Amino acid sequence: MGDPRVVAVVVTHNRRDLLIEALTAIGAQTRRPDAVLVVDNASTDGTADLVRTRFPTADLLALTGNTGGAGGFAAGFARALDLEADLVWAMDDDTVPEPPALQEL
C-alpha cells in the first residue's frame, strides 16, 4: 500500500492576503498534498477570482452563503471525500505551515 492520498482543505472568508500566504506555504511543502481545496465562505473581496487565476491547480468550492468555520469545513470534508481523500489536512486561511509540516504529520 502506497502513501495515503492527502487533501488539504483551507477555509477562507474575505482574507485574500492571508490566503495567498497559506496557499503559497502549502505549495512549498516537502511532502505536498495530493490536492488542495479552497472553501470560499461567500467572500466579497474577489477571493474566488484570486484562487482561479493565481492558484489554478487548487480545487475551489465557492459557497453562496457564509456558513462559518464549521459549515465551511463540513462542506470541505465532504468534497475532500469526493476527491478520494484518505486523509484531510484542515486549516484556516491564516495558517502558514512550515515546509516539513505535512511530511512530519
Side-chain angles (χ1 to χ4, degrees):
M1 189 166 157
D3 288 338
R5 180 168 169 75
V6 178
V7 176
V9 174
V10 183
V11 175
T12 189
H13 177 71
N14 284 339
R15 300 198 305 182
R16 290 169 37 114
D17 292 342
L18 291 173
L19 181 62
I20 291 168
E21 284 185 68
L23 294 177
T24 300
I26 291 168
Q29 292 297 298
T30 55
R31 193 290 192 197
R32 291 187 180 176
D34 299 288
V36 177
L37 169 62
V38 176
V39 180
D40 180 9
N41 230 338
S43 295
T44 58
D45 65 352
T47 293
D49 289 336
L50 167 87
V51 172
R52 285 184 195 105
T53 59
R54 190 147 174 201
F55 300 95
T57 60
D59 187 24
L60 175 65
L61 177 57
L63 303 179
T64 58
N66 185 350
T67 61
F73 282 114
F77 282 28
R79 177 69 151 268
L81 292 175
D82 288 342
L83 295 172
E84 301 181 352
D86 294 312
L87 299 170
V88 177
W89 189 23
M91 62 195 82
D92 288 316
D93 54 13
D94 60 353
T95 303
V96 182
E98 294 293 321
L102 181 57
Q103 183 175 356
E104 291 178 9
L105 285 172

